[in-house]
Amino acid sequence: MISNTVTLFRMGLVLPLFILLAMSGPGWIALALYLGSGLLDVVDGKIARGLGESSALGAMLDLVADRLLTLAAVAGLLVHGDLGLLAACAAVILVARCNIVASFGEALAARAALTASPLESVKIIASFAGLGLAMMPLARVPGTQIALAPVAETVIVLAAALTLVTLIGYTRQAVRALAG
């Protein structure tokens, strides 16, 4: 399946991204790997739907690739010391949420599926944008007076807040399904 091959290639970008961020910190190459992986996430989904290759395996690989990308970005930025304390805590929330929701899915098995909140898309965009901004070299953007670090950290904190809100919804759904 072509779409699964694209997803596996995307997974292959995770380790180089982590190494670059951990060793060198934010930079254009790390940002290119991160954005490229995000673009390939869109591409593999379009390929799967367009070629009728949608499958349980492909969906699982896509989720794993998404979670590995977030983990690599957060871990690399943390190891290099590029996030302030509040943003570091927020970034850990982003990673922990993935494990909690996956655990809910395991616990529920075939009993019920978790329904995504409308905020989920906003949270995903904020998380991707915040981590992407954090990977940009922290020098001022040419021609502006905007320092990127505080903007990136603010967006990461916003993503974590949205994550907590959506996590409450997932928790309620899981508790209802497990209790019933």
Side-chain angles (χ1 to χ4, degrees), residues 73-147:
V74 167
L77 290 166
L78 288 174
V79 166
H80 196 262
D82 294 306
L83 297 175
L85 181 60
L86 184 59
C89 291
V92 169
I93 288 170
L94 297 176
V95 172
R97 174 248 178 233
C98 295
N99 293 317
I100 293 168
V101 173
S103 297
F104 287 160
E106 284 292 318
L108 292 173
R111 289 187 203 180
L114 298 175
T115 306
S117 157
L119 285 178
E120 189 68 27
S121 296
V122 177
K123 187 264 317 171
I124 291 168
I125 292 167
S127 175
F128 193 80
L131 291 171
L133 285 170
M135 286 179 219
M136 292 181 76
L138 297 180
R140 296 187 186 278
V141 176
T144 72
Q145 296 301 312
I146 299 173

Side-chain angles (χ1 to χ4, degrees), residues 3-135:
S3 57
N4 288 351
T5 303
V6 173
T7 303
L8 290 171
F9 178 78
R10 184 163 62 101
M11 289 171 130
L13 299 176
V14 168
L15 185 59
L17 173 64
F18 169 74
I19 291 169
L20 270 171
L21 288 172
M23 302 295 284
S24 305
W28 297 115
I29 295 172
L31 180 62
L33 286 173
Y34 184 71
L35 294 177
S37 183
L39 178 62
L40 288 174
D41 184 21
V42 173
V43 169
D44 67 13
K46 287 191 181 295
I47 290 171
R49 286 184 295 280
L51 297 178
E53 293 182 352
S54 296
S55 67
L57 174 63
M60 189 255 333
L61 287 174
D62 187 64
L63 285 173
V64 170
D66 291 345
R67 290 173 178 152
L68 287 174
L69 179 63
T70 301
L71 177 61
V74 167
L77 290 166
L78 288 174
V79 166
H80 196 262
D82 294 306
L83 297 175
L85 181 60
L86 184 59
C89 291
V92 169
I93 288 170
L94 297 176
V95 172
R97 174 248 178 233
C98 295
N99 293 317
I100 293 168
V101 173
S103 297
F104 287 160
E106 284 292 318
L108 292 173
R111 289 187 203 180
L114 298 175
T115 306
S117 157
L119 285 178
E120 189 68 27
S121 296
V122 177
K123 187 264 317 171
I124 291 168
I125 292 167
S127 175
F128 193 80
L131 291 171
L133 285 170
M135 286 179 219

